[in-house]
Amino acid sequence: MDDQNRPYAAAGNVTDVIRRYRSLNLPDAIEATDLRSAGVPEGNIGRTIFALKFLNLLGEAGQPTQEWRAIAAADEAAVASLVEGLLRNAY
């Protein structure tokens, strides 16, 4: 991984986006405007998208993965376990 492409987004930005789409329907693709609507500052959008891809929540074209869809559909008790699995797989 080169220095330009590290998944160093603010954890709060990533969790805010995940929370937003647990309460709304996931779109077919996540774009910068979706992240702005979730409260991600303009300067952090690229890093947040990269982090979502690194965690296998977004595909290369910005489409939510099955993993993200599972989190969006899960009950509150299951979310922590699903997110833990994503983190373990990514790191």
Side-chain angles (χ1 to χ4, degrees):
M1 196 177 302
D2 64 47
D3 287 337
Q4 294 284 343
N5 292 318
R6 296 194 183 267
Y8 299 144
N13 291 336
V14 174
T15 56
D16 286 348
V17 172
I18 293 170
R19 276 193 203 107
R20 177 178 176 80
Y21 289 106
R22 280 191 38 74
S23 64
L24 300 173
N25 291 330
L26 274 168
D28 292 333
I30 299 289
E31 300 176 358
T33 55
D34 299 306
L35 297 184
R36 273 188 221 101
S37 295
V40 177
E42 187 70 34
N44 293 342
I45 288 174
R47 288 180 178 186
T48 303
I49 288 173
F50 192 84
L52 292 168
K53 288 179 180 179
F54 178 79
L55 293 170
N56 197 34
L57 292 171
L58 282 181
E60 286 305 312
Q63 73 281 11
T65 62
Q66 286 304 112
E67 289 82 353
W68 195 350
R69 292 190 184 287
I71 289 170
D75 62 30
E76 198 61 39
V79 171
S81 176
L82 292 169
V83 171
E84 178 185 359
L86 287 173
L87 292 170
R88 288 187 185 278
N89 288 336
Y91 289 96

